[in-house]
Amino acid sequence: MKALTIHQPWATLIALGEKRFETRGWATKYRGPIAIHAAKKVDKAVCQKEPFRSVLANHGYTADNLPTGAVVATANLKECLRIVTPGTGQVAAYRDADDAMIPIDGH
């Protein structure tokens, strides 16, 4: 199975369903099962900021007990979107194939 390594707390937030999108500077043609691997790095400063601190706490996590160096979830990679910031300053997602806009709705 292919894997995507993500720093904490982002990997756990994805595993919990609290983070729906992951952005990268590259595209992939791969679609299918993918493991979400929590890197050994924990961004402790982010873990202390709201709303991240409260969301993690609601699930019993703090910067000190996040899993690291392990697969924390599996997912099905269904789509790869190009992210742009239109002249309005709002972030929008576009499908690779036909450039039809998909609004992110703040998530």
Side-chain angles (χ1 to χ4, degrees):
M1 176 180 281
K2 293 189 180 283
L4 186 61
T5 298
I6 303 172
H7 291 160
Q8 288 288 34
W10 313 117
T12 291
L13 291 171
I14 289 171
L16 296 170
E18 299 285 356
K19 182 177 189 298
R20 294 178 42 213
F21 299 97
E22 174 64 13
T23 58
R24 299 289 164 131
W26 42 265
T28 181
K29 293 183 187 287
Y30 176 77
R31 301 295 181 270
I34 191 162
I36 305 301
H37 175 260
K40 290 189 176 183
K41 179 180 178 177
V42 176
D43 188 334
K44 291 188 176 198
V46 167
C47 293
Q48 300 304 317
K49 293 181 182 176
E50 290 298 342
F52 310 112
R53 185 192 62 74
S54 294
V55 170
L56 290 168
N58 287 341
H59 294 281
Y61 289 104
T62 68
D64 297 321
N65 70 353
L66 289 168
T68 59
V71 171
V72 295
T74 58
N76 185 30
L77 179 59
K78 293 168 53 176
E79 201 158 16
C80 185
L81 305 173
R82 182 171 44 98
I83 305 297
V84 299
T85 305
T88 63
Q90 295 182 9
V91 176
Y94 290 83
R95 293 185 190 275
D96 282 340
D98 59 8
D99 271 353
M101 188 169 94
I102 304 169
I104 292 179
D105 296 325
H107 290 58

